[in-house]
Amino acid sequence: MYGWHIIKRLSKKEIGSFEELKNEIKTKVGKDSRSQKSKDSMLSKIRKEYGFSDNPKLAEELTAVLDTTFFEGKWKATAAKSLDKNLCKIGIKQYTQTDFANFLESHQTKRTKIDIRIVVTDMYKQFVDENLLAYEESNLGKKYAKYRDWE
C-alpha cells in the first residue's frame, strides 16, 4: 500500500433532498438491529404490564388445517372453524385460534413453499406482537391524561 495511487472519478451523483429520501431512510432505520432491540424491549414491557399469557401449542394446531393454498395466497380461515380454543390473553382481552386463523388469512401472500410449522411460528409471533401494540395503543388514553386530552 505504499507508493502513488491514481484515481479517476467517472461520475458524480448528487444526494437527493430529505423529502425524496425520507421513505428510504425510514425503511433503513426500521430494518436496523438497534431498532428491533428497541421494539423487542417495548413489547417485553407491554407483556409484563398487561400479564400476557399464551399457549403456542394451540397455534401449532393450525398446521393441520393449512394446505398448499396458503402458499398461493388463497387459503380461507373457514378451514379452521372447528378450532376455537383460547390462544392468548392480553390484559382482559382473549384471542382465540379463530382470531389467529383470520390473521393468517388476511396476512397471506404468494410465497415459496417451506415447512408450514416455521410459517405458523413466525406468523404467530407477528400476530402476538401486532395485538400487543394494538392493546397498548387502545389503553393510551387511560394511562396518560395528556394523550386523552389531545384526542
Side-chain angles (χ1 to χ4, degrees):
M1 291 287 138
Y2 296 102
W4 292 92
H5 298 276
I6 300 173
I7 299 171
K8 179 179 180 183
R9 181 173 66 189
L10 300 174
S11 65
K12 182 178 178 183
K13 183 179 176 187
E14 295 293 328
I15 297 175
S17 70
F18 175 73
E19 290 303 319
E20 294 170 346
L21 298 174
K22 185 177 181 180
N23 289 333
E24 183 180 342
I25 293 168
K26 285 174 86 173
T27 302
K28 286 181 179 182
V29 168
K31 289 182 179 179
D32 186 66
S33 63
R34 292 170 290 184
S35 175
Q36 188 59 42
K37 284 182 183 180
S38 172
K39 183 179 177 184
D40 290 344
S41 174
M42 182 175 64
L43 289 169
S44 178
K45 179 183 165 205
I46 294 169
R47 277 183 172 89
K48 288 177 187 172
E49 183 176 348
Y50 295 111
F52 172 78
S53 63
D54 73 334
N55 188 346
K57 291 189 187 239
L58 293 177
E60 292 173 15
E61 290 181 10
L62 272 90
T63 59
V65 296
L66 287 172
D67 55 23
T68 56
T69 59
F70 182 78
F71 297 105
E72 298 165 5
K74 298 177 183 176
W75 183 78
K76 299 291 179 197
T78 54
K81 63 184 173 193
S82 64
L83 300 174
D84 61 354
K85 296 175 190 161
N86 287 336
L87 190 55
C88 64
K89 181 179 173 256
I90 304 170
I92 59 170
K93 186 153 175 60
Q94 289 279 350
Y95 296 89
T96 65
Q97 290 170 313
T98 303
D99 296 326
F100 183 46
N102 291 329
F103 177 84
L104 289 171
E105 180 180 348
S106 67
H107 287 73
Q108 65 184 323
T109 58
K110 279 191 162 188
R111 61 174 82 201
T112 310
K113 292 179 185 174
I114 59 171
D115 186 344
I116 199 71
R117 291 173 295 195
I118 294 170
V119 173
V120 169
T121 301
D122 291 345
M123 296 292 283
Y124 180 64
K125 181 184 179 329
Q126 185 180 346
F127 170 77
V128 168
D129 290 352
E130 285 185 20
N131 282 303
L132 284 166
L133 292 172
Y135 194 83
E136 171 70 357
E137 188 175 322
S138 71
N139 284 295
L140 288 176
K142 296 173 189 168
K143 289 172 64 173
Y144 304 105
K146 286 184 179 180
Y147 183 84
R148 181 179 49 247
D149 296 341
W150 184 67
E151 287 184 307

